[in-house]
Structures are given as structure tokens and as C-alpha cells.
Amino acid sequence: MPWPYRLQCFECHTQYPIRTANCRCEKCGGLLEIVFQISKRRIPWKKRDPSVWRYRELIPIDNDRFITTLAEGATGLHQCQRLGREIGLKRLYVKNEGENPTGSFKDRGMTVALSKARELGKRRVVCASTGNTAASLSAYSARAGLTCVVIVPEGKVAAGKMLQVMIHGARIFQVSGDFDEAMRVVVALTEQRTGFYLMNSINPFRLEGQKTLAYEVCDQLGNQLPDAVVLPVGNGGNISAIWKGFGEFQTLGIAKVRPRMIGVQAERAAPIANAVKRKQSKIRPVTNPQTIASAIRIGSPVNWTKVLPAIRESGGTAETVSDKEILEAQRDLASKEGIFVEPASAASIAGLRKCREEGRIDRTDLVVCVTTGHGLKDPSIADHIPHRESYTLKITRPDWIERLERAL
Ligand code: F0G
């Protein structure tokens, strides 16, 4: 059973019944959030296996009967010494979310939101997506036997993600436009009392799953905490969720201080990073956002009102990176550390490199970079890998071993 929790507006704190299907405050239009009543009682999960559900008391699902899971979380926190040395960092860790069941961090949120959908008696779920949310929702809906509709920007979703949606049997609708257009369609659809339950990250239950990344990092680092967490930002759900997670562990007395949150966006899709850099209290949406990192090709991030305070309160910052820097970081991580991530995820490494160069991160800082999705999802980047000659071997030729050696 979870500890007591309530659903309330993030801005004006108006409370709503848990069964409310809306994702926004009826009074002020603010985003909703879950607030747990946390008291420093004995932590019950120490002996449980690592997973999202390890932290059961802090997950707002009332009845275990509705839990739909594929074993999410428990992803590796990999110390990266070679890359760290090159970037000029003594302690660099990569939290590799590509190790989740459908290959992205979305699964942490989806296991919780889908379980909530079932608990609320929903039979139809819908999301707008640049690909990973759609892949994750499709898998969890298949497992639970719910009708799943995904709305995606036409021609803008990586092939691996489309394949996932198709094989899991979701209904795909494409909009001619970008993610922001798809999001508008989903919001309009769910407002029309069609019985569709919205599964994007403005659904506060999703973020309750995603916050467990912070718990896991605390647990994996033992008594230490990172000085900074660096991650890619699209809609801003993940960075806000992780910030919330660290806050809850602080209230519990497990974390003494919270890390600086550093959000990274692609140069031409950077409404949040632009607002942070210009010290503005509101974002200005980007029309026609562009980047090779299709997962974060978002001009009008729906969670911006949660992101800006998270970055500000944490003493963090935001960074922008070019497509070239993203691709280089992707290759660096793969070729120097054996970790293959999709371009959006590599943005965190590219952003870290820049922060380090600009002195915004110290050599001695303990840094965790969150890589959000698996590299196999987006095979299109093969075109950008510098060409390496491939050789044909003929074992019948006497000099075949010499030829092989010469090619190394
Ligand atoms: N990294 C990856 C691989 C993503 O797929 C996303 C978001 C993000 C980072 C950004 O996370 O939105 O919480 O700030 N993908 C969404 C989707 C938009 O539809 O799959 P965020």
C-alpha cells in the first residue's frame, strides 16, 4: 500500500479527487502533481530487489491487483573513466535508461500510469509522441489488454520506435506537423469525453514512476550523492520528476542535499534552455523545431512550468548543443565506454562536455549523465558514422592472416 498522497495543482495547490481524469487545474490551468505525506519512518524497501516497484510506498497505486509491469528500472549506473578523463572529470557516471524493457526511461512512468489507468477503470489510452512514449505505451497496453492509440508527427519518428508500436499492435495516427501538433490533437481528443485516458507526461502519475530514477541513483551511489545530474530535455517531464524524487529522499533524510539539475536541449529546439540562459520566467515556444535528435524535437514543452523552478531551485542550468556535437558524443560513448544510446540521450554527454569547458562543472564534481534511450531505436544515424573500409576474407588464400593484421 502507498503512503497517504493527494492530487493537487502545482501552481495554486487546489486539491482534486484522485479519480479526476484531467491533467490540468480547473481553476488556474496549472499542471497537477502528486504530493506524498512523507514521514521519517523506517525505510521498508532496503531488502527488496531494485526496480520501480521497490519503492512501493511512494508509488500512488492503491491496489496491487492493477499493477502492470515488465520489470522496469534497476538500470545500470556505469562509471565512465575513459570518457571522464577525456572530458576532465574524476567521477562520471552514466545512468543508462536504455536498459529498460522497451529501451527507454518512459517505462518507469508507464508501468505506474498504466496501472493507474486500470485502477481508474479506463479501457482506452492515448499519447502524442516523438516515438519512445508511443513504444512504451504500446507495450504496456498490449500486456494489459487496453486499446492504445498513438499520435505521431508524420515521417519524424525513428524506425525502431515505429517498429515497436507496430509489433505491439497499437493504432497509429500521424499528423502532418511536429510533436506539438500531435500533442494538441491528444489534448483535444481527451477533452471530448471519448473515454481516452491521456498518457503523456502531463499525466502526474507517469512522473511518479519516473521519479524513481533519483531514488535509484541515491541507492546505487551508497552514501554519496551526485553534485550534478545532466539529462536531455524535451517536454521537461523527466527532469521535473527526477527533481521531485531527490526532494522526497531529502525529506526522508536519505539525501542530505539535492544535486544541480542540468537540462540539455538541441540548439534549434531549445525553448527551455533559451529561457534559462536569458533568465526569463516564461518560455517562448520555438516554431518548427529541428534536430537530428528526433526524440527531443519539441518546440512547445508541456511541462515547462515545472522545469524552470526545478533548474532554478537546484542551482542548475541549461545548455544547448548542435547536431554535430550530439553525434560526436554518441560515438564517444559507444566507442570509449561500450554504451550505445540514441542521439537525444547523447545530448546529455555533449551538454556535459560544454558545461565542463565553460567551468560550470568542476573536475572533482560527481556527475551523473542520464542516457534516456537505446541506440538501436534510431538506425538512421548509420549515415553519419565515418566510413570505415570493410574487407573480404578468403580463407583459401595463404596470406589471409597477414591481410587481416595489416587492416588493423
Ligand atoms: N530522451 C528521449 C530518448 C526521449 O524519448 C525524450 C522524450 C526525452 C529525452 C525528453 O524527455 O520530454 O521528459 O523532457 N520523448 C517523448 C516521447 C517526447 O514522445 O517519446 P522529457
Side-chain angles (χ1 to χ4, degrees):
M1 280 287 286
W3 289 341
Y5 66 93
R6 57 181 190 273
L7 177 63
Q8 68 177 41
C9 173
F10 184 75
E11 306 292 335
C12 73
H13 301 169
T14 302
Q15 289 190 26
Y16 289 93
I18 299 299
R19 301 195 73 81
T20 308
N22 286 349
C23 291
R24 288 202 180 267
C25 176
E26 282 167 21
K27 276 199 185 150
C28 76
L31 294 166
L32 301 185
E33 67 167 347
I34 306 292
V35 178
F36 270 92
Q37 248 179 53
I38 296 176
S39 63
K40 289 187 186 176
R41 55 189 112 188
R42 214 200 247 133
I43 313 298
W45 52 75
K46 273 262 147 42
K47 291 209 177 87
R48 298 181 201 153
D49 289 339
S51 92
V52 164
W53 294 96
R54 172 186 214 206
Y55 311 98
R56 179 70 184 92
E57 289 73 11
L58 287 165
I59 308 281
I61 301 297
D62 301 326
N63 193 328
D64 283 358
R65 191 157 65 91
F66 297 108
I67 293 178
T68 302
T69 176
L70 288 163
E72 9 342 268
T75 55
L77 182 69
H78 309 283
Q79 186 161 18
C80 293
Q81 285 179 335
R82 293 183 70 203
L83 190 58
R85 248 197 311 276
E86 198 197 285
I87 294 178
L89 268 178
K90 284 196 170 150
R91 294 172 300 168
L92 168 62
Y93 290 85
V94 164
K95 180 71 172 158
N96 189 21
E97 289 293 283
E99 295 168 33
N100 274 297
T102 76
S104 85
F105 71 100
K106 307 284 178 179
D107 298 338
R108 286 184 191 271
M110 218 49 88
T111 180
V112 177
L114 209 285
S115 301
K116 198 68 191 178
R118 291 183 63 212
E119 193 162 79
L120 296 174
K122 306 290 177 192
R123 301 294 310 155
R124 312 163 101 187
V125 288
V126 63
C127 72
S129 183
T130 55
N132 281 324
T133 300
S136 182
L137 181 58
S138 308
Y140 285 83
S141 309
R143 191 157 170 85
L146 301 191
T147 303
C148 174
V149 166
V150 309
I151 304 191
V152 297
E154 190 172 9
K156 301 292 186 331
V157 177
K161 302 174 190 180
M162 286 305 272
L163 174 61
Q164 288 179 286
V165 175
M166 287 190 280
I167 197 80
H168 291 306
R171 281 293 149 100
I172 307 172
F173 293 86
Q174 314 203 40
V175 293
S176 58
D178 50 26
F179 169 85
D180 306 301
E181 175 68 12
M183 192 66 213
R184 282 189 283 274
V185 172
V186 167
V187 170
L189 179 70
T190 50
E191 279 172 0
Q192 294 292 321
R193 310 236 175 278
T194 44
F196 276 105
Y197 188 53
L198 189 151
M199 298 294 277
N200 283 95
S201 55
I202 51 171
N203 179 330
F205 293 103
R206 263 222 15 224
L207 302 190
E208 291 303 296
Q210 288 174 213
K211 72 182 181 183
T212 59
L213 184 142
Y215 303 167
E216 242 171 55
V217 167
C218 288
D219 284 346
Q220 286 171 311
L221 287 175
N223 295 325
Q224 306 176 79
L225 263 175
D227 296 296
V229 174
V230 188
L231 73 159
V233 170
N235 277 309
N238 209 28
I239 192 168
S240 344
I242 295 171
W243 177 239
K244 183 174 191 282
F246 282 120
E248 288 171 348
F249 260 33
Q250 196 176 30
T251 309
L252 274 166
I254 302 170
K256 297 281 173 294
V257 283
R258 291 198 265 182
R260 305 197 302 275
M261 302 300 295
I262 302 181
V264 185
Q265 296 201 292
E267 257 168 18
R268 289 175 297 156
I272 289 172
N274 291 341
V276 171
K277 285 186 174 187
R278 294 174 194 151
K279 297 196 168 43
Q280 286 160 342
S281 58
K282 284 187 174 163
I283 62 143
R284 198 177 304 148
V286 171
T287 44
N288 195 17
Q290 297 294 337
T291 169
I292 194 159
S294 58
I296 51 170
R297 193 172 170 273
I298 293 171
S300 188
V302 284
N303 286 301
W304 70 267
T305 50
K306 286 185 177 174
V307 183
L308 295 186
I311 292 179
R312 204 177 41 240
E313 283 167 34
S314 75
T317 185
E319 192 54 271
T320 55
V321 290
S322 67
D323 283 359
K324 187 167 168 277
E325 289 163 337
I326 288 174
L327 289 170
E328 272 166 20
Q330 185 188 30
R331 275 202 304 278
D332 279 347
L333 192 57
S335 62
K336 294 177 181 142
E337 297 292 351
I339 302 172
F340 181 27
V341 304
E342 66 169 288
S345 309
S348 63
I349 301 288
L352 167 66
R353 193 187 279 280
K354 269 191 153 172
C355 285
R356 190 57 204 103
E357 281 163 10
E358 290 162 11
R360 292 202 264 175
I361 287 182
D362 278 351
R363 184 179 173 70
T364 51
D365 280 345
L366 196 166
V367 179
V368 171
C369 257
V370 182
T371 53
T372 43
H374 201 288
L376 287 173
K377 282 175 173 273
D378 189 356
S380 72
I381 60 104
D383 300 342
H384 300 275
I385 300 175
H387 182 68
R388 271 201 159 179
E389 216 174 323
S390 71
Y391 303 86
T392 309
L393 273 185
K394 281 208 173 70
I395 202 163
T396 44
R397 286 183 62 144
D399 65 340
W400 71 275
I401 291 186
E402 284 103 87
R403 287 167 65 86
L404 184 147
E405 288 286 357
R406 237 181 293 135
L408 293 182

